[in-house]
Amino acid sequence: MASTASGTAPPPRSLPVVDKDSQTFWTAGEQGELKIYRCQDCAYYIHPPVRFCPQCESRRVEPEAVSGKGHVVSFSINHQQWVPGLPVPYVLALVGIAEQDDVRLVTNIMNCPPEEVSFGMPVKVYFEQVEDLWVPLFEPDSEGAPRP
Amino acid sequence: MTYGEKNTAITGIGQSEVSRGSDKSALELTVDAALGAIRDAGLTRADIDGIATWPGADNNTSGFSPVGVAQIQDALRLKLNWYGAGGEVPGQYGAVFNAIGAISAGLARNVLIYRTMYEATARKTSFANSLVKGGERQAGIFLWYAPYYNYAAALQQSLMFNLYVHKSGIRPEQVGQIAVNQRRNASLNPAAVYRTPITIEDYLNSRMIATPLRLFDCDVPIDGSTAIIVSRMDVARDGPNVPIRIEAIGSSMQYRNSWVQLDALDTQAQPKVAEMMWSRTDLKPKDVDIAQLYDGFSFHTINWLENFGFCERYGAKDFIEGGTRIALEGELPINTGGGALSAGRLHAYGAVHEACTQLWGRGGDRQVKKPLNVCATSTAGGPLAGAMLLVKD
Ligand SMILES: [Zn+2]
């Protein structure tokens, strides 16, 4: 975990149970890609991943790499040390991907002082390997424009 | 159209002692609450033919829901025609809505509904927090939060509250009126766990948990149980208490039901639930005498004030400014027993218990002085929400 003053190693990240639909999301980071399910008929992105398009009812749905860019929809600066050794403060956030507003990802905003995180702030993805998964994390995108 | 809830009423209430660590087991606390409610309704164990609870036994040591239908049915040796428990309902009041369904279907006449929590004791022993369990991969509704150090509801729900602050412009000294008002009410409630009044300065000085939540915005884990009896209307009118009719309910799921993708992030799922409730009654927000609003966190209460229509969107900050409107003497007294913030996390059933206490004029030092007939009450946050309008018969 970045942007903490304590210098101690954070506790290991917990990991999700992965199933046949979410496998790609949690592993595509090995190739440096953020992959989101997308309807092959109407191009709608579908998250959480399931092979059904709620827009056109197509079952032709495949994971596709997206730009990895997005913006902070909301965030909270956590100050409470919930477990021993947890470096605080840190930022939990919801990020909307650049391609489609209703695809939101939970994440931590990294490589940024918590007090500088803001609503609509442009961010870009990177990945941290934990065991057999690649966890998407976001950091400030100096080339992006803030969302109003 | 006949709405099933209009043929039901609350006829009795019961509550165990509520504490930060009980000498009794969770089951005995539940027995205390259940027997109290049965007696209050003028009934005996033999009259109870249904049980509903939320969410039912969770079969772990968290203390979140330690007593299931089976344990209380057996302890009281009840003979039931219908029973049901489950968490995938419109928040904690889903148990009441299920009971309404059972009564409407002719499956039961007097349903015992209870909610027991044993988190105070659980946290002193094995339990660290509810959302991350060490050593195993996370499944369930918080799966997408798993790798992100999301240890508690206080942090996770702050994602909604912080957006609300951003959009509404509410200031901390306005938010704090909820905690200050409820502690004042709790100081007049002998059953509340925290009774020493606090000031706005105390609130502003309480430590930050996760922006924008301070310690005093968070409810208090307790050991305790609440029970109510919901009866069919004709049966209810035979009892010793004036029936408290369930005039209307809101139970809808019209949004994406997800703690991540919820499409009403800053209002939470409350607006359409409140809209449904109002669509089932001729009463209007101006007819409401008191409100017992969910307060797992103070922001839930603030959201419900707007979403029930007691003030306009983003107008709660002005409505609660100074705290006079929401005080016991105000135009809309809320959370009159101290709520979950000060009386303890009885998880929405404390709110129903207090609603009936006030409507029946049993509030003692905290009794609202004006005549009371109508109480709006609500539960839950995020993608979950449930609402009820209670009316003295
Ligand atoms: Zn499609």
Side-chain angles (χ1 to χ4, degrees):
Chain A
M1 198 177 306
S3 56
T4 60
S6 66
T8 55
R13 292 182 185 274
S14 299
L15 292 174
V17 169
V18 172
D19 70 10
K20 286 173 181 168
D21 279 322
S22 64
Q23 178 77 23
T24 306
F25 180 86
W26 294 113
T27 57
E30 186 173 10
Q31 280 78 46
E33 290 181 322
L34 180 64
K35 286 194 169 177
I36 304 291
Y37 270 27
R38 191 177 201 190
C39 176
Q40 301 301 295
D41 287 305
C42 79
Y44 184 71
Y45 287 99
I46 299 153
H47 190 77
V50 60
R51 289 183 197 274
F52 171 74
C53 176
Q55 299 284 330
C56 75
E57 301 194 351
S58 171
R59 305 301 299 268
R60 296 202 315 125
V61 173
E62 297 297 335
E64 284 189 14
V66 293
S67 65
K69 293 175 182 291
H71 69 283
V72 173
V73 173
S74 191
F75 69 98
S76 174
I77 303 173
N78 180 77
H79 293 273
Q80 174 83 5
Q81 193 173 55
W82 301 102
V83 294
L86 180 68
V88 292
Y90 62 90
V91 176
L92 182 71
L94 296 177
V95 163
I97 68 167
E99 285 76 6
Q100 188 173 300
D101 274 348
D102 68 354
V103 175
R104 277 188 212 140
L105 307 179
V106 185
T107 196
N108 299 125
I109 305 298
M110 310 292 287
N111 305 323
C112 177
E115 64 275 14
E116 290 181 14
V117 175
S118 60
F119 293 94
M121 177 174 136
V123 290
K124 61 183 180 185
V125 76
Y126 73 101
F127 299 91
E128 182 177 309
Q129 185 184 358
V130 185
E131 299 178 21
D132 58 335
L133 303 183
W134 278 259
V135 173
L137 297 168
F138 284 81
E139 61 185 354
D141 176 15
S142 56
E143 294 165 12
R147 276 288 187 100
Chain B
M1 178 74 200
T2 310
Y3 297 122
E5 66 265 36
K6 294 186 194 296
N7 195 35
T8 66
I10 300 171
T11 51
I13 58 174
Q15 196 162 78
S16 71
E17 62 172 28
V18 180
S19 73
R20 296 280 285 158
S22 179
D23 295 331
K24 295 184 177 184
S25 70
L27 181 56
E28 187 177 353
L29 293 173
T30 311
V31 168
D32 287 345
L35 291 180
I38 293 168
R39 203 175 298 125
D40 188 38
L43 303 174
T44 69
R45 286 183 291 150
D47 297 310
I48 302 300
D49 53 6
I51 292 184
T53 191
W54 183 96
D58 56 9
N59 299 311
N60 62 37
T61 57
S62 70
F64 184 74
S65 187
V67 178
V69 170
Q71 290 113 293
I72 192 66
Q73 182 270 347
D74 188 53
L76 299 180
R77 301 297 197 277
L78 299 176
K79 293 182 168 53
L80 307 175
N81 290 329
W82 175 86
Y83 58 97
E88 295 199 326
V89 290
Q92 291 86 336
Y93 290 169
V96 178
F97 304 159
N98 286 346
I100 291 166
I103 290 169
S104 300
L107 294 169
R109 291 154 36 105
N110 294 298
V111 180
L112 168 68
I113 302 172
Y114 70 94
R115 175 89 183 99
T116 302
M117 303 199 84
Y118 209 59
E119 294 184 315
T121 291
R123 287 181 183 213
K124 289 173 186 165
T125 53
S126 61
F127 186 66
N129 57 69
S130 61
L131 299 185
V132 177
K133 291 171 187 66
E136 58 185 81
R137 294 211 169 180
Q138 311 292 307
I141 57 172
F142 295 114
L143 177 153
W144 295 95
Y145 285 88
Y148 302 113
Y149 301 110
N150 175 45
Y151 288 98
L155 170 57
Q156 184 259 332
Q157 297 198 33
S158 284
L159 295 173
M160 292 160 201
F161 306 147
N162 213 23
L163 185 61
Y164 175 82
V165 171
H166 177 65
K167 290 199 172 185
S168 70
I170 194 168
R171 299 190 310 273
E173 64 270 27
Q174 294 168 321
V175 175
Q177 294 296 340
I178 299 292
V180 170
N181 176 58
Q182 291 187 203
R183 185 61 66 84
R184 176 169 171 260
N185 295 347
S187 75
L188 304 172
N189 175 7
V193 292
Y194 288 137
R195 302 190 59 200
T196 307
I198 57 172
T199 64
I200 270 294
E201 289 69 33
D202 294 330
Y203 170 82
L204 294 171
N205 290 330
S206 74
R207 75 172 186 277
M208 189 64 82
I209 303 295
T211 56
L213 282 185
R214 289 172 163 80
L215 180 66
F216 286 159
D217 289 310
C218 304
D219 67 358
V220 184
I222 48 85
D223 295 344
S225 180
T226 309
I228 63 173
I229 308 296
V230 171
S231 304
R232 204 174 65 199
M233 204 60 228
D234 58 327
V235 180
R237 291 195 171 118
D238 290 337
N241 295 320
V242 178
I244 293 175
R245 293 191 296 104
I246 302 177
E247 166 72 13
I249 66 169
S251 60
S252 67
M253 185 197 287
Q254 302 285 337
Y255 304 95
R256 292 185 70 183
N257 192 283
S258 160
W259 287 96
V260 181
Q261 312 297 341
L262 173 64
D263 38 0
L265 205 58
D266 64 313
T267 61
Q268 310 180 72
Q270 299 167 9
K272 288 184 190 299
V273 168
E275 190 180 302
M276 175 181 167
M277 186 191 85
W278 291 121
S279 77
R280 296 166 76 86
T281 178
D282 294 331
L283 296 173
K284 305 290 179 211
K286 66 173 170 43
D287 299 315
V288 172
D289 299 312
I290 54 170
Q292 309 293 341
L293 306 175
Y294 188 66
D295 61 342
F297 301 106
S298 57
F299 281 90
H300 290 134
T301 309
I302 291 167
N303 290 144
W304 276 112
L305 282 170
E306 293 178 5
N307 291 325
F308 264 141
F310 298 129
C311 53
E312 58 193 31
R313 172 72 59 226
Y314 305 136
K317 61 181 188 290
D318 301 318
F319 191 82
I320 64 177
E321 176 102 53
T324 52
R325 281 194 190 85
I326 58 173
L328 293 177
E329 308 80 11
E331 65 190 68
L332 184 70
I334 65 170
N335 299 351
T336 49
L341 299 182
S342 285
R345 182 188 294 158
L346 293 151
H347 231 199
Y349 287 91
V352 179
H353 188 277
E354 179 66 14
C356 297
T357 298
Q358 288 286 342
L359 291 175
W360 281 329
R362 302 176 184 173
D365 292 342
R366 68 181 188 283
Q367 180 66 41
V368 173
K369 298 295 185 292
K370 66 181 179 181
L372 299 181
N373 289 298
V374 181
C375 176
T377 184
S378 62
T379 187
L384 302 174
M388 289 195 282
L389 198 61
L390 304 176
V391 176
K392 197 159 63 177
D393 196 29

